[in-house]
Amino acid sequence: MDFLPIFYNLQQQRCLLVGGGDVALRKASLLVSAGAKLCVVAPQLCPDLDALIQEHDGEYYPTDYTAAHLEGVVLVISAIEDQAVDEQVSADAKQQGLPVNVVDKPSLSNFIIPAVIDRSPIVMAVSSGGQSPVLARLLRGKLESMIPASYGRLGQLAGRFREQVKARFETLNQRRVFWESVLQGPVAEMIFAGKDRKAEQLLEQALEEGSTGHSDGEVYLVGGGPGDPDLLTFKALRLMQQADVVVYDRLVSRRVLDLCRRDADRVFVGKACNQHVISQEEINALLVRLAKEGKRVLRLKGGDPFIFGRGGEEIGELMAEDIPFQVVPGITSASGCAAYAGIPLTHQNYAQSVRFVTGHMKDGQCDLPWPELVQEHQTLVIYMGLLSLTQICEQLMRHGMSPRMPIALVENGTLPEQRILTGTLADIADQAAVTDFQPPALIIIGKVVALRDRLDWYSQS
Ligand code: SAH
């Protein structure tokens, strides 16, 4: 280790920043976010830095740097991008025993500024020891995506209870065990779900009981997106990696499922086309039973749970049984398929509205409000419509839609095996039969479909 990472308390301490441009502005922001008092010396200032100094009651000296500016400061940053001045600042500061950083010049610096992940009071710093700041920033990006923004609030909650926990548990070991389970259990989960009050109650309760705050089970209703695992949300991924049991549908792609915790139990409740493997009531009952056994249950669905996903019914049942749950939206297949097919669902010239409908048949009939669907400047997205494709096209034409209206079928959208078929209302059903399109497939109808000829970026990439 070439540098010792330390966290330096700069609250109300005067820090000298030499330079008034964009680079200086970035360092100034960092300094004020750590509570430092800004002293800026530079012949000129960019407007944003000027505003920042004023907003934080800083000092500004509109002159060239001289050693006199080091008077009464505790730390120095040179961001002037002038070799001679940088060298002078570095030499003067070192002579006075002050910590000095010259931006992008480790040889002139005796401290370096890391890439920071700020979840105050939790702060993480990544450094490459000045060897590769870009690599440090890339790593920061990875950490940013892995650590929920709400960790800061969790840290604050822990801080508020620190003394009470100390008073409650005598030994260091007891306190460590308590905190470890609290910070990984339902208290933390409540904070991540934005329920801070409930988290505090659970923590108080755990403290009173001297237990670890483990309550009954919980259900995470999570949208797994249309298939490409890169389209998962951070929150989805986090819950997938902590659930004890995964209850999933047929639409959840293998690659998404692979990201669930390895040792979690997996329960398949998929529905193959028309034959129901397990009924909705049975799924609801299963979720309730597993949660009551104290498990963290991941209810993983394709796309978004609230779009043709029966998510509402499932959480209704959980509410009735007083079981805690969270809902995490996913990218619905309409968004995913349209994006990967190069078909914008709305467009300034061709469609000002978009309508999602289900083409699911009841008793062999696809019963939709056809006149409402035949509207100018409207895109139709039909879920579960492959089996009723012929009927859908016939009905739309019968209700006045042009037989030449462009239509696209997207099979396995967003996955490597994605297939797309385009045609018109008049000919698509025959084409689909010939090419043997299979579910899951989404139907997109409207003038926007024609844009694909120009905007298809995915299959060309
Ligand atoms: N909740 C899901 C939809 C469930 S209904 C969502 O928000 O996407 C099931 C239908 O979704 C399928 O019949 C098909 O029309 C569509 N679908 C889901 N994933 C798909 C995919 N990867 N490609 C094409 N269509 C898909």
Side-chain angles (χ1 to χ4, degrees), residues 242-451:
Q242 74 179 30
D244 305 309
V245 47
V246 185
V247 179
Y248 67 102
D249 280 345
R250 187 176 53 88
L251 276 178
V252 174
S253 79
R254 177 90 257 150
R255 291 164 67 211
V256 167
L257 201 59
D258 282 347
L259 293 173
C260 293
R261 212 178 90 196
R262 293 246 164 261
D263 58 341
D265 292 334
R266 287 166 164 68
V267 185
F268 175 66
V269 291
K271 299 164 188 170
C273 286
N274 273 343
Q275 82 215 45
H276 287 215
V277 172
I278 151 167
S279 74
Q280 188 62 47
E281 289 68 31
E282 287 169 304
I283 295 175
N284 298 350
L286 176 70
L287 297 178
V288 169
R289 179 171 63 74
L290 290 169
K292 283 191 171 166
E293 285 170 12
K295 302 214 167 89
R296 289 169 297 179
V297 186
L298 176 75
R299 174 66 176 116
L300 188 57
K301 290 185 168 272
D304 181 276
F306 279 6
I307 295 184
F308 304 124
R310 306 193 75 169
E313 285 152 78
E314 290 177 10
I315 63 166
E317 190 72 20
L318 297 172
M319 262 178 171
E321 296 280 343
D322 216 13
I323 288 170
F325 63 86
Q326 301 184 44
V327 182
V328 182
I331 291 194
T332 188
S333 44
S335 299
C337 294
Y340 282 50
I343 301 172
L345 293 178
T346 64
H347 186 280
Q348 178 99 14
N349 303 336
Y350 306 111
Q352 277 78 51
S353 72
V354 52
R355 191 154 170 165
F356 295 174
V357 292
T358 162
H360 190 64
M361 287 194 282
K362 268 198 195 116
D363 306 324
Q365 284 303 310
C366 179
D367 193 14
L368 285 167
W370 303 109
E372 287 175 30
L373 303 189
V374 184
Q375 301 285 332
E376 282 291 299
H377 303 295
Q378 173 173 266
T379 305
L380 291 180
V381 179
I382 305 179
Y383 289 69
M384 295 173 272
L386 193 60
L387 294 178
S388 45
L389 179 64
T390 309
Q391 241 187 71
I392 289 169
C393 294
E394 277 172 12
Q395 287 286 3
L396 289 174
M397 289 188 284
R398 187 170 306 158
H399 287 82
M401 197 177 271
S402 162
R404 290 191 307 279
M405 181 61 84
I407 172 168
L409 304 185
V410 185
E411 179 194 81
N412 285 315
T414 79
L415 288 165
E417 58 270 30
Q418 165 175 295
R419 281 202 301 164
I420 297 177
L421 187 65
T422 50
T424 62
L425 275 192
D427 67 16
I428 195 81
D430 289 344
Q431 282 198 59
V434 172
T435 44
D436 191 26
F437 255 60
Q438 295 293 329
L442 196 81
I443 305 173
I444 306 176
I445 303 173
K447 291 193 177 139
V448 287
V449 171
L451 293 167

Side-chain angles (χ1 to χ4, degrees), residues 13-17 27-29 31-32 36-40 49 52-53 56-61:
Q13 304 284 324
R14 290 175 76 237
C15 294
L16 182 69
L17 178 63
K27 302 301 169 197
S29 307
L31 286 172
V32 296
K37 259 192 112 29
L38 270 186
C39 307
V40 179
L49 183 49
L52 194 75
I53 294 170
H56 292 275
D57 230 1
E59 300 163 34
Y60 171 50
Y61 304 97

